[in-house]
Amino acid sequence: MNRYGIHGERGRRGTTALLALTLAGGLLLTGCGGTDDASNGAKDTAADSRGGSGPMPAPDRPRGEGEQRHDGGTSSGGARESGEGEKNGDSREIAPDPDYLSTFALDVDTASYGYARRTLSEGRLPDPSTVRPEEFVNSFRQDYERPDGDGFSVTVDGARTDDEDWSLVRVGLATRPADRQSERPPAALTFVIDVSGSMAEPGRLDLAQEALGTMTDRLRDDDSVAIVTFSDESETVLPMTRLGDRRGRVHDAIDGLEPMESTNLGAGVETGYETAVEGRREGATNRVVLVSDALANTGDTDADSILERVATERREHGITLFGVGVGSDYGDALMERLADRGDGHTTYVSTTEDAREVFSAQLPRNIELTARDAKAQVAFDPETVAEFRLVGYDNRQVADEDFRDDRVDGGEVGPGHTVTALYAVRTRSGADGHLATATVRWLDPDSRTPHEESGDVETDALDGSVWDADHGLRVTATAAYFADALRTSDGGYDHGGGDDHGGSLPGAPGLSELSERADGLADRTEDEDLRDLAEAIEEANRLA
């Protein structure tokens, strides 16, 4: 697996055979029995690809001796967590190894895009380290074909950029539509709510209280809710309570929340999981929902020990974590890492509309899981592809040889989700024929039985310009180019220079042109989400 793929003809020998064996192995392994409890418990002894840059040892090197980067290079020293070590988790400066495979854990987080919008609305450019392109891209729902049952559909398409021989290739994965409320399993939700002094800022605790109150009225009678608060200490305000005719009790607990003192995030997480375990319901979706600005400053502030607690409870009890970030000052890296270790995902809310959407629509609708430990692997054809680059997913990387190792952690995905991965691909001159095969592998959330689904794309799919492509691909390209501009490695912002500035994506327009294209998309569709994107790009262009 690498970031920039292949240079010239290096590594071409034997790679075709490797791809054939890899794909054949997938056919043989599809439908095999699920892992046993010992295998599930071994996940955190293998490479935890979601908790950091991802230790990916070469086949002949013991684990831990080096870190294989997203571009296939290695560096001395052990694996690093997201946000530590190399700037932005990016490794553009590392020379790539020959490799035609790209493997990563699926990700449905959107917090990075929401936080960037909040920062821009306050007249500030976001810190490049908080910009994760895949979360920008996945903030926009796509119209991929949906599968009939659990699992995924796979859609692969692409189009040419303005740079010669460079294209953008989109891998789209979709789960079945979300069931109606009456058809999903019951939920046991433990809300862990930050009531530290910093949460007194408008748009933090007050926002959460309003949204939680609305959500309480929309959950079903057979759903259960518990509430834990934390400031300098943690407290279980409401034990796990079946809603039924007890909604008033839940509302009273929510209305009584008040900001207090410091932020003992570690205590909040520990008490939250203890409460979730005590109230755990068989046959229900058991989830911890952490609402915080993630600015830990009291008690256990060591990220690793907090993360270990989350990982242990996930492994032993199957309790997933949903992180909801709030506040203009926000501990983005810690919240993301907590959700990664908790087999969950993160989002960010800054307005009443955001909060209502997250708590009243997204959370109740997507309580159910349809896939556990989902990973994707894209095999590029060495006959047609000269080099490639995965956009984002820097801390979701998985070693290629671990794609079918079900002890290695992947991503958890629910119904109604779409996941998009975008690649910049340089094709060989005159290339014609098969371009790539994308395969997604996941475990059934109940039986742990592994399944796979694949999709292919040919070079003739790249005939047109990306700006004349399918609507969804244009939205994906716009979001990816925007994120790439915001995370330019030298901190500069390119107003119109394209790919010669700071390692931006091939064919990248300047922010001025990108703003115009986003405006056009929003005008044609009258889509409020695209209007928000256009306004964010316009503000970034003004500030740059």
Side-chain angles (χ1 to χ4, degrees):
M1 173 183 54
N2 61 30
R3 178 151 193 152
Y4 282 95
I6 321 305
H7 280 242
E9 300 295 323
R10 291 191 309 149
R12 194 163 174 178
R13 296 189 190 93
T15 307
T16 303
L18 173 62
L19 292 179
L21 287 171
T22 301
L23 295 174
L27 294 174
L28 290 172
L29 286 170
T30 300
C32 292
T35 56
D36 57 21
D37 291 341
S39 296
N40 292 335
K43 283 185 183 224
D44 290 328
T45 66
D48 189 344
S49 61
R50 303 184 66 202
S53 299
M56 295 173 287
D60 59 350
R61 186 180 70 237
R63 289 185 187 275
E65 288 186 12
E67 176 191 6
Q68 184 174 349
R69 307 298 183 83
H70 197 47
D71 57 10
T74 60
S75 67
S76 60
R80 291 188 287 262
E81 292 285 358
S82 172
E84 298 176 9
E86 58 191 346
K87 186 175 181 180
N88 303 344
D90 205 345
S91 50
R92 292 185 171 114
E93 74 282 7
I94 306 297
D97 287 339
D99 190 353
Y100 288 92
L101 293 174
S102 172
T103 310
F104 58 94
L106 299 198
D107 179 21
V108 295
D109 290 356
T110 60
S112 177
Y113 174 66
Y115 187 43
R117 281 182 52 213
R118 166 69 179 262
T119 304
L120 288 165
S121 71
E122 295 176 343
R124 299 178 289 123
L125 290 168
D127 184 330
S129 68
T130 67
V131 176
R132 294 181 290 278
E134 71 276 15
E135 297 185 23
F136 279 55
V137 167
N138 284 318
S139 293
F140 300 92
R141 188 171 297 274
Q142 300 285 345
D143 59 355
Y144 304 133
E145 181 180 350
R146 300 278 182 174
D148 293 330
D150 286 350
F152 296 87
S153 64
V154 182
T155 302
V156 192
D157 59 8
R160 298 285 181 185
T161 74
D162 293 336
D163 280 11
E164 185 177 3
D165 294 331
W166 281 96
S167 300
L168 295 182
V169 173
R170 179 178 62 158
V171 176
L173 310 172
T175 57
R176 62 171 169 79
D179 292 334
R180 293 190 299 272
Q181 280 273 63
S182 60
E183 296 175 342
R184 66 164 173 80
L189 305 176
T190 301
F191 290 92
V192 180
I193 303 174
D194 186 346
V195 293
S196 62
S198 61
M199 292 292 287
E201 174 191 304
R204 297 195 186 197
L205 183 57
D206 58 337
L207 197 67
Q209 286 176 292
E210 181 180 348
L212 286 169
T214 303
M215 184 207 67
T216 298
D217 292 332
R218 295 188 181 181
L219 287 172
R220 297 187 327 210
D221 286 347
D222 62 345
D223 292 330
S224 300
V225 170
I227 296 177
V228 171
T229 62
F230 66 95
S231 56
D232 55 331
E233 296 180 348
S234 60
E235 177 186 3
T236 300
V237 175
L238 181 76
M240 193 64 71
T241 301
R242 192 81 61 101
L243 287 176
D245 59 357
R246 302 181 183 90
R247 295 178 195 270
R249 187 183 305 177
V250 179
H251 280 294
D252 288 344
I254 294 170
D255 294 342
L257 300 178
E258 294 181 355
M260 298 175 70
E261 299 177 19
S262 303
T263 307
N264 192 337
L265 183 63
V269 169
E270 182 168 357
T271 303
Y273 270 93
E274 287 174 354
T275 302
V277 170
E278 289 172 3
R280 184 176 179 274
R281 292 174 56 186
E282 292 291 336
T285 300
N286 295 272
R287 180 166 294 185
V288 168
V289 182
L290 174 62
V291 183
S292 176
D293 55 18
L295 300 174
N297 57 23
T298 300
D300 187 358
T301 60
D302 179 68
D304 289 338
S305 61
I306 297 173
L307 291 168
E308 180 55 32
R309 172 68 180 181
V310 174
T312 299
E313 300 297 356
R314 178 268 295 168
R315 184 170 60 243
E316 294 181 359
H317 301 286
I319 298 172
T320 57
L321 177 70
F322 180 37
V324 181
V326 295
S328 55
D329 293 322
Y330 169 52
D332 168 78
L334 178 56
M335 182 69 90
E336 188 207 13
R337 292 166 65 197
L338 283 168
D340 288 348
R341 286 290 182 90
D343 278 353
H345 61 282
T346 63
T347 190
Y348 178 87
V349 299
S350 61
T351 66
T352 301
E353 292 75 19
D354 288 345
R356 285 178 178 168
E357 170 66 19
V358 167
F359 288 108
S360 301
Q362 291 182 17
L363 184 57
R365 186 176 64 232
N366 294 324
I367 284 171
E368 184 182 4
L369 284 180
T370 58
R372 286 189 180 273
D373 292 317
K375 310 182 197 99
Q377 185 169 85
V378 183
F380 290 94
D381 194 321
E383 299 298 323
T384 57
V385 174
E387 54 183 308
F388 62 88
R389 168 187 171 188
L390 174 61
V391 180
Y393 291 92
D394 295 317
N395 61 348
R396 295 293 194 271
Q397 299 168 50
V398 176
D400 296 333
E401 62 268 26
D402 286 341
F403 177 57
R404 294 186 173 90
D405 184 345
D406 295 325
R407 297 169 301 174
V408 175
D409 205 13
E412 275 55 49
V413 183
H417 279 125
T418 61
V419 180
T420 300
L422 192 68
Y423 287 86
V425 176
R426 183 170 68 84
T427 54
R428 299 187 185 280
S429 180
D432 183 41
H434 179 253
L435 185 81
T437 297
T439 302
V440 58
R441 181 180 177 87
W442 71 96
L443 303 182
D444 180 275
D446 298 319
S447 68
R448 303 272 178 173
T449 302
H451 301 278
E452 292 187 9
E453 190 66 46
S454 296
D456 295 279
V457 65
E458 303 287 312
T459 55
D460 59 10
L462 309 177
D463 287 344
S465 165
V466 68
W467 302 117
D468 297 322
D470 166 86
H471 168 78
L473 181 53
R474 278 180 286 156
V475 172
T476 297
T478 301
Y481 279 134
F482 181 36
D484 192 66
L486 292 177
R487 67 182 284 184
T488 301
S489 59
D490 63 2
Y493 291 82
D494 181 14
H495 288 268
D499 190 45
D500 60 352
H501 186 86
S504 61
L505 287 174
L511 283 172
S512 295
E513 180 184 342
L514 194 63
S515 176
E516 292 176 3
R517 292 193 180 279
D519 270 332
L521 282 169
D523 288 343
R524 284 190 293 274
T525 61
E526 298 183 351
D527 185 320
E528 287 301 316
D529 291 336
L530 292 181
R531 175 55 56 200
D532 290 341
L533 174 62
E535 290 175 355
I537 296 173
E538 182 179 359
E539 182 64 15
N541 185 45
R542 187 185 68 80
L543 293 170

